């Protein structure tokens, strides 16, 4: 309630239902439609909360807690990225099924797993992934969200990505900072690489192969900045790790730097799992390998790169694989638990 009430500009409204008074909070969303959510039945404590909201609408308690967490060792995201992610979260993008991928997810893993990565693997990319049509069936029939309108409402100057006059769906770039991008991705389900328009999100998504593997198990996490926290959804960290090895072989040419980053991030997470819960990592690996020969071939390429760059870590992984049995997995691995 503190998060919902203090982060939005709106008003409280009381309604009588079956003779009982209930409170609701309403505000105007990015699509200019009125959004209303249930607060609770009328009570003295709830009225006190409402009075406090009216008296101090700009509470900074969550911001102060975020700053404290950063001072205690949690790694933050940049304030510039927070200014993009926070409005997208408040307007329901992640509730709609969007999943944050790339280095921002990797940052969240370090904070949640209680480790500080050795390398500062930062990036100017903001990559988003959404399962597209396969997730839309879980959305309410009256759900609508225009992502492009929200991007424009950021008032940060983002424009649709284009090359030689051709506009590419699913990506927005900052004209003064070409490396600062918003990429909306989805799983590739056909031979075409053409962007796919998603009705629920009101924007086009760029299809990518293999990405659906990272979207089958997700978790909500908090990213921190000096401006406050933001609530996002990310892939399971073990799936993220083995997926990074899979896509390593796909990188070439201008993407060699990203390939190195893929390998480094995979190695960091693999090391954590080998030290703490190797069975979970190996179970996610077996699921990936079971996707087919094409997946196996690419994953083997990633494993070879891991052996060449992180030889001792690769040996530990091989030893763990040799002794792994599917029954070793504790289904409650602590990641998805409340």
């Amino acid at each position: 309630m503190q998060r919902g009430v203090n982060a939005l500009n709106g008003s409280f409204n009381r309604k009588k239902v079956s003779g009982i008074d209930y409170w609701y909070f309403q505000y105007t969303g990015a699509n200019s439609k009125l959004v209303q959510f249930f607060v609770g039945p009328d009570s003295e404590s709830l009225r006190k909360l409402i009075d406090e909201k009216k008296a101090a609408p700009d509470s900074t308690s969550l911001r102060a807690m975020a700053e404290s967490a950063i001072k205690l060792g949690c790694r933050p995201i940049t304030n510039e990225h927070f200014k993009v992610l926070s409005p997208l979260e408040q307007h329901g993008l992640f509730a709609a099924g969007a999943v944050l991928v790339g280095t921002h997810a990797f940052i969240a893993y370090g904070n949640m797993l209680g480790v500080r990565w050795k390398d500062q693997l930062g990036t100017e990319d903001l990559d988003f992934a959404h399962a597209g049509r396969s997730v839309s069936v879980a959305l309410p029939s009256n759900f609508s969200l225009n992502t492009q309108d929200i991007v424009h409402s950021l008032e940060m100057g983002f424009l649709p990505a284009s090359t030689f006059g051709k506009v590419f769906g699913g990506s927005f770039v900052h004209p003064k900072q070409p490396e600062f991008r918003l990429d909306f991705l989805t799983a590739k389900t056909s031979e075409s690489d053409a962007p796919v328009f998603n009705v629920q999100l009101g924007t086009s998504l760029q299809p990518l192969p293999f990405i659906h593997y990272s979207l089958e198990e997700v978790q909500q996490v908090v990213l921190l900045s000096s401006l406050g926290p933001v609530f996002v959804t990310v892939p399971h960290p073990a799936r993220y790790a083995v997926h990074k090895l899979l896509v390593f072989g796909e990188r070439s040419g201008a993407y060699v730097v990203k390939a190195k980053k893929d390998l480094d991030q995979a190695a960091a997470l693999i090391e954590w799992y080998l030290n703490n819960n190797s069975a979970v990592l190996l179970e996610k690996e077996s699921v990936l390998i079971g996707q087919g020969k094409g997946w196996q071939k690419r994953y083997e390429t990633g494993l070879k790169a891991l052996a060449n760059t992180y030889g001792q870590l690769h040996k530990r992984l091989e030893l763990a694989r040799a002794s792994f049995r599917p029954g070793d997995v504790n289904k409650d691995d602590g990641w998805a638990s409340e």
Side-chain angles (χ1 to χ4, degrees), residues 99 112 217-221 232-237 335-338:
V99 179
M112 290 200 68
E217 287 183 80
V218 297
Q219 175 66 33
Q220 292 172 313
V221 299
V232 301
T233 305
V234 297
H236 190 293
W335 168 252
S337 65
E338 292 295 330

Side-chain angles (χ1 to χ4, degrees), residues 262-292:
D262 289 339
L263 188 63
D264 291 339
Q265 292 184 5
L269 285 166
I270 288 171
E271 182 178 21
W272 186 91
Y273 273 103
L274 290 178
N275 290 338
N276 295 277
N277 199 342
S278 61
V280 169
L281 174 71
L282 296 171
E283 189 270 336
K284 306 308 177 190
E285 181 190 65
S286 66
V287 173
L288 182 143
I289 294 173
Q291 298 293 315

Side-chain angles (χ1 to χ4, degrees), residues 74-120:
C74 289
R75 185 181 171 193
I77 61 173
T78 66
N79 289 346
E80 189 174 43
H81 289 172
F82 174 84
K83 290 177 181 178
V84 173
L85 290 171
S86 184
L88 294 178
E89 182 256 326
Q90 290 182 20
H91 291 303
L93 187 73
F94 298 107
V99 179
L100 186 63
V101 297
T103 298
H104 291 84
F106 185 71
I107 291 171
Y109 299 147
N111 293 340
M112 290 200 68
L113 298 175
V115 296
R116 187 176 297 172
W117 306 124
K118 294 178 182 177
D119 297 324
Q120 297 298 305

Side-chain angles (χ1 to χ4, degrees), residues 12-136:
F12 288 93
N13 291 274
R14 182 161 55 182
K15 294 182 179 181
K16 188 179 292 290
V17 181
S18 299
I20 302 175
D21 288 331
Y22 294 95
W23 285 95
Y24 293 80
F25 186 80
Q26 65 182 28
Y27 65 98
T28 302
N31 53 7
S32 299
K33 292 184 179 180
L34 191 65
V35 179
Q36 188 177 77
F37 61 82
F38 177 71
V39 177
D42 184 46
S43 67
E44 183 178 348
S45 60
L46 185 52
R47 287 195 297 273
K48 181 180 179 181
L49 172 67
I50 294 172
D51 290 339
E52 290 175 353
K53 162 64 178 175
K54 293 177 179 178
D58 297 321
S59 172
T60 58
S61 61
L62 287 174
R63 178 174 177 174
M65 285 190 283
E67 290 177 340
S68 296
I70 293 170
K71 290 178 180 178
L72 290 170
C74 289
R75 185 181 171 193
I77 61 173
T78 66
N79 289 346
E80 189 174 43
H81 289 172
F82 174 84
K83 290 177 181 178
V84 173
L85 290 171
S86 184
L88 294 178
E89 182 256 326
Q90 290 182 20
H91 291 303
L93 187 73
F94 298 107
V99 179
L100 186 63
V101 297
T103 298
H104 291 84
F106 185 71
I107 291 171
Y109 299 147
N111 293 340
M112 290 200 68
L113 298 175
V115 296
R116 187 176 297 172
W117 306 124
K118 294 178 182 177
D119 297 324
Q120 297 298 305
L121 303 174
T123 179
E124 287 300 316
D125 288 350
L126 280 180
D127 295 333
F128 294 84
H130 190 277
R133 291 183 292 262
S134 64
V135 168
S136 64

